Amino acid sequence: MDFNELKTPVYVIDESKLKKNLEILKDVQDKSGAKILLAQKAFSAYHTYPLISKYLTGTTSSGLFEAKLAYEEFGKDSEIHVFEPAFSDDEMQEVCDIADHLVFNSLSQLEHHRSIWEKKVTTNKLSVGLRVNPEFSTQEGHEIYDPCAPGSRLGIRAIDLPDKLPSKVEGLHFHTLCEQGFEPLYDTFKAFENKFEKYLKSGDIKWLNLGGGHHITRDYYDRDGLINLVKYIKDTYMVEVYLEPGEAIALDAGYLVTTVMDIVKTDRLPVLILDTSAACHMPDVLEMPYRPPLKDSGEIGDKKYGYRLSSRTCLAGDIIGDYSFDEEIKIGDRLIFEDMAIYSMVKNNTFNGMALPDIAVLKENGNCEVVKSFGYEDFKMRL
Ligand SMILES: Cc1ncc(COP(=O)(O)O)c(C=O)c1O
């Protein structure tokens, strides 16, 4: 099917752009010796897993459901890591059966579930680690995405760890970054090393996971810096090093295509009513908040015709942003939001009974394949 014939709204995953990111990540993997995992919380469009699994070591999951998806779709030889702030008693056995690496957020969770995970560790089928908090913030103005913010529940502080790690703990994990370059990682690692080095030197630790939030596939990212840091960690402490980016894997590798349904006059900019919604189909736009890139558009004033882009939902604040265009927009025009593969499909919802956008894959040969279509039943089944 041709891109222009797709029914809107539709997320379109761009396979060649995804591949370009994967090639960069594989190169970092090969040159540094790090193992790179897909953080499924950012991108779980599993139709692309056969492609992704050719390049990456495995996946990381936020709990049982993502872990099951990885187990079923990513390939049997890949690694499955799971971290959750608290695992439920009902799910722990199944998580342990699927995972090969499990990360606990507290000593009480570790001990609470010990009788289950320890059996798997004893048979070498599972390796268990602890998430720590280096207490080193590198983000400003984004407390919602800062696990090192004061009062954070994410990760154990150095002060709360015993001198010797609990028996059978083999790994340490930290995740503190969000959409960042190499320098904040370097500074964070130094803060981590300062506080937790005794554990790395103890000989008990076999792996260290540096979490996600690394924008490795951005042009500006200092990949040589990352490669050198990973080599330093491996050579100094003789541990396996993991990175678990989500965004970097599918950065700029997807679109959300929408149609203009109406144009409403207001006392300010005319408003385009679209068949998509920030609240339903790109919730990060409101949560973060940010103004998503839109193909062939500019800021207000850059181009002749300015509009506010909004939605057909009832939420007054369901506003995507203000944009300008060279040509006047007409009802029925199609607009293309860019960088819409990450934290979009995984976070959407059917508020107002809005239909979920279909999911299509733009193949390298230019053809589009619709891999998922949604309708009324998908709305009803959740209620
Ligand atoms: C523990 C953990 N690992 C990895 C990630 C992936 O981060 P990103 O998609 O920003 O690379 C997240 C994101 O919140 C996370 O919480």
Side-chain angles (χ1 to χ4, degrees):
M1 187 184 260
D2 188 80
F3 188 90
N4 297 313
E5 288 167 8
L6 292 169
K7 182 169 79 65
T8 68
V10 56
Y11 299 110
V12 182
I13 299 161
D14 188 328
E15 210 171 66
S16 29
K17 290 194 172 172
L18 187 60
K19 213 164 152 183
K20 194 171 147 240
N21 288 340
L22 291 167
E23 276 160 6
I24 293 173
L25 294 164
K26 172 94 168 65
D27 189 55
V28 169
Q29 226 177 205
D30 292 346
K31 288 184 176 150
S32 67
K35 293 188 169 184
I36 301 185
L37 310 169
L38 162 71
Q40 293 182 98
K41 69 186 72 189
F43 182 77
S44 314
Y46 59 87
H47 292 90
T48 60
Y49 282 9
L51 173 69
I52 301 176
S53 61
K54 283 190 198 148
Y55 295 83
L56 304 185
T57 301
T59 55
T60 185
S61 301
S62 322
L64 176 63
F65 289 0
E66 284 185 2
K68 277 176 94 157
L69 187 67
Y71 181 74
E72 289 171 9
E73 304 292 341
F74 204 85
K76 299 284 176 262
D77 297 332
S78 67
E79 293 190 17
I80 298 180
H81 296 227
V82 189
F83 161 78
E84 196 170 1
F87 290 97
S88 83
D89 292 353
D90 294 348
E91 294 178 352
M92 194 69 239
Q93 184 62 57
E94 202 176 352
V95 169
C96 288
D97 289 343
I98 292 173
D100 40 66
H101 289 71
L102 197 56
V103 179
F104 288 100
N105 188 50
S106 69
L107 295 173
S108 61
Q109 272 279 302
L110 177 85
E111 297 309 334
H112 179 74
H113 295 294
R114 181 178 283 276
S115 61
I116 299 176
W117 62 257
E118 206 165 39
K119 284 188 217 124
K120 289 273 164 182
V121 169
T122 314
T123 54
N124 283 330
K125 295 224 166 74
L126 183 65
S127 183
V128 161
L130 290 173
R131 177 166 175 173
V132 298
N133 179 356
E135 296 178 87
F136 188 80
S137 281
T138 54
Q139 307 174 42
E140 271 167 34
H142 269 128
E143 220 170 86
I144 185 176
Y145 294 115
D146 184 3
C148 294
S152 172
R153 70 187 189 289
L154 298 166
I156 308 167
R157 296 174 305 163
I159 196 178
D160 295 321
L161 276 179
D163 278 345
K164 184 162 169 38
L165 288 176
S167 124
K168 299 201 169 61
V169 169
E170 301 183 326
L172 290 176
H173 173 290
F174 67 79
H175 166 77
T176 68
L177 306 182
C178 178
E179 303 191 338
Q180 281 167 294
F182 170 66
E183 297 72 16
L185 172 65
Y186 181 82
D187 294 342
T188 303
F189 177 75
K190 286 291 153 192
F192 162 82
E193 193 177 37
N194 190 24
K195 288 189 162 120
F196 297 92
E197 189 179 37
K198 66 176 173 223
Y199 305 113
L200 294 176
K201 281 184 164 165
S202 68
D204 296 336
I205 292 300
K206 294 185 179 155
W207 50 270
L208 173 65
N209 186 324
L210 309 179
H214 324 280
H215 262 193
I216 303 168
T217 46
R218 283 262 187 249
D219 286 345
Y220 67 77
Y221 193 95
D222 176 7
R223 292 190 275 272
D224 288 338
L226 176 62
I227 290 165
N228 288 335
L229 176 67
V230 171
K231 281 185 179 163
Y232 162 80
I233 300 171
K234 285 175 74 84
D235 293 348
T236 313
Y237 300 110
M238 309 308 234
V239 291
E240 201 70 75
V241 175
Y242 288 96
L243 297 162
E244 48 177 37
E247 294 208 356
I249 285 147
L251 258 180
D252 286 325
Y255 317 98
L256 175 54
V257 188
T258 181
T259 302
V260 178
M261 301 179 74
D262 200 6
I263 304 174
V264 175
K265 284 189 194 158
T266 73
D267 51 339
R268 299 205 176 158
L269 289 171
V271 176
L272 304 184
I273 308 288
L274 305 177
D275 64 0
T276 189
S277 148
C280 300
H281 303 156
M282 40 182 138
D284 266 3
V285 165
L286 301 182
E287 202 173 283
M288 230 175 157
Y290 80 103
R291 177 180 169 280
L294 181 74
K295 193 166 181 294
D296 299 329
S297 75
E299 300 277 348
I300 293 297
D302 287 355
K303 294 173 184 271
K304 190 169 172 197
Y305 299 96
Y307 300 89
R308 171 156 286 184
L309 272 56
S310 189
S311 158
R312 64 199 284 210
T313 69
C314 69
L315 177 69
D318 195 350
I319 292 163
I320 301 157
D322 297 344
Y323 297 83
S324 67
F325 303 86
D326 289 325
E327 306 289 332
E328 197 171 355
I329 298 292
K330 296 180 295 307
I331 292 171
D333 283 354
R334 287 156 77 99
L335 301 177
I336 301 173
F337 289 102
E338 295 171 316
D339 199 14
M340 276 294 157
I342 47 178
Y343 293 105
S344 53
M345 291 160 252
V346 290
K347 288 185 101 170
N348 61 16
N349 63 76
T350 58
F351 173 57
N352 268 212
M354 284 280 284
L356 298 170
D358 290 349
I359 301 176
V361 178
L362 172 60
K363 299 280 182 188
E364 283 184 287
N365 63 12
N367 282 340
C368 272
E369 188 190 337
V370 178
V371 293
K372 279 270 173 161
S373 300
F374 302 97
Y376 170 67
E377 284 307 324
D378 299 290
F379 163 66
K380 187 179 178 190
M381 67 178 272
R382 297 168 61 205
L383 300 170

